[in-house]
Amino acid sequence: MKIAITVNSKVGTKGETAVKKFKNLLEERKIEYFDFEKGKKADILVVFGGDGTVLANAEYATATQTPILAINVGTVGYLAEFEEKDVENAVNLLLSGNFSFTEKSVLKVITSSGEEYVALNDAVLERGRFTDDITVVAKLSLKIDGYTVYDVSGDGIIIATPTGSTAYSLSSGGVILTPDLNSFIATPVCPHSLNAKPIVYRDDKRVDVSVLTNSCDCVLCIDGRCVKTLKRGESITVTKNDKTLKIIDSCENFYKKIIKKIR
């Protein structure tokens, strides 16, 4: 078994101690490991950090189908299955080989100009904050399988997976999707309408979000990273990605976890 290790550069003393302990335990148990670098094949990618560190490695892990074992040395750590105190348990689990993993749905996002992205949490089309126009309101059209759900003015629209339903979507008034649902959620952000509400839909549907001609320019953010500016008339298409993200599971009850992490 080959273990790749990646560490958030800002983990601090607690994180550095956890990483050192983890590596020492691997050496004692004669488990091969190396510092992560793209192109070097590993059986498991161990991530030390918070949710942002997991998200930063999600695209690579999804594309290569490398399972992630995430150890939280960050703040919330909702995506991490293990805490800093669980380092030895994590090593023992790897050594036993008796572990399972959860397959998390991932979004595939394609812009009208052809760029393609994947998102574990969410794809957000939101208003640009800096513009020469008089208005800085996003005016967007949401379609599901070609049918218009609504046109909305506001700050933007979030398309989230069940994993991402506990993040920005939840903060914007969306509901939590349990991991066993084959669904995604579209959540408007600060809509200027009483009729624009979050909508849960089956994950085999195609969603299109378009920037209307009377909108300000908008920004596409993938898992919190702003990746592209979309101008009036441009759009994104969001579907379920063919590949999932595999995360090694601590078998903690989902409801217990959300109460502990986001209460």
Side-chain angles (χ1 to χ4, degrees):
M1 179 187 297
K2 294 182 180 179
I3 307 296
I5 299 174
T6 185
V7 184
N8 186 315
S9 60
K10 300 178 181 179
V11 293
T13 304
K14 181 179 75 169
E16 291 171 358
T17 301
V19 173
K20 184 177 180 180
K21 180 178 179 181
F22 186 79
K23 289 182 176 180
N24 287 340
L25 289 168
L26 291 180
E27 290 170 3
E28 289 174 7
R29 290 158 171 76
K30 300 187 182 337
I31 300 175
E32 183 179 351
Y33 72 89
F34 55 87
D35 292 332
F36 170 70
E37 56 183 270
K38 289 184 178 180
K40 193 171 181 180
K41 178 63 178 174
D43 297 305
I44 294 169
L45 175 60
V46 177
V47 175
F48 283 88
D51 291 340
T53 314
V54 176
L55 292 172
N57 289 279
E59 182 176 4
Y60 170 83
T62 299
T64 61
Q65 290 292 274
T66 305
I68 284 180
L69 186 149
I71 299 176
N72 179 39
V73 289
T75 308
V76 178
Y78 176 78
L79 295 174
E81 291 293 332
F82 299 88
E83 299 296 325
E84 177 269 336
K85 62 181 175 59
D86 300 320
V87 165
E88 186 165 2
N89 291 338
V91 173
N92 290 336
L93 185 66
L94 293 175
L95 185 63
S96 73
N98 186 28
F99 52 80
S100 60
F101 50 79
T102 299
E103 295 195 49
K104 294 186 177 294
S105 296
V106 175
L107 302 173
K108 179 166 72 172
V109 184
I110 302 175
T111 69
S112 52
S113 52
E115 294 89 351
E116 187 170 323
Y117 307 94
V118 297
L120 173 60
N121 263 4
D122 49 41
V124 183
L125 197 54
E126 61 183 12
R127 66 188 179 99
R129 302 292 171 170
F130 302 99
T131 177
D132 294 330
D133 294 340
I134 295 174
T135 177
V136 285
V137 174
K139 297 187 178 183
L140 304 171
S141 176
L142 173 68
K143 292 183 179 180
I144 298 179
D145 271 0
Y147 293 94
T148 299
V149 179
Y150 45 64
D151 293 345
V152 63
S153 296
D155 281 2
I157 292 177
I158 304 163
I159 309 297
T161 64
T163 304
S165 72
T166 61
Y168 190 13
S169 175
L170 181 63
S171 300
S172 299
V175 296
I176 293 175
L177 305 181
T178 58
D180 57 333
L181 290 176
N182 297 319
S183 301
F184 295 145
I185 182 171
T187 305
V189 184
C190 299
H192 298 175
S193 170
L194 295 176
N195 297 321
K197 301 294 184 183
I199 180 168
V200 176
Y201 64 94
R202 259 186 12 217
D203 63 10
D204 60 353
K205 301 292 185 181
R206 163 181 165 153
V207 162
D208 295 285
V209 185
S210 304
V211 183
L212 298 176
T213 55
N214 59 344
S215 173
C216 67
D217 289 346
C218 293
V219 177
L220 172 63
C221 297
I222 301 294
D223 285 343
R225 297 175 294 110
C226 296
V227 297
K228 181 178 174 61
T229 296
L230 272 73
K231 298 187 178 298
R232 300 172 184 89
E234 295 187 306
S235 63
I236 61 171
T237 297
V238 184
T239 55
K240 184 178 181 179
N241 193 56
D242 291 337
K243 294 181 178 178
T244 58
L245 176 70
K246 300 177 180 179
I247 294 188
I248 291 178
D249 201 339
S250 65
C251 298
E252 182 175 33
N253 179 271
F254 171 74
Y255 302 102
K256 179 181 177 182
K257 183 175 182 178
I258 60 173
I259 290 170
K260 179 172 70 175
K261 294 288 187 177
I262 57 177
R263 61 185 175 185

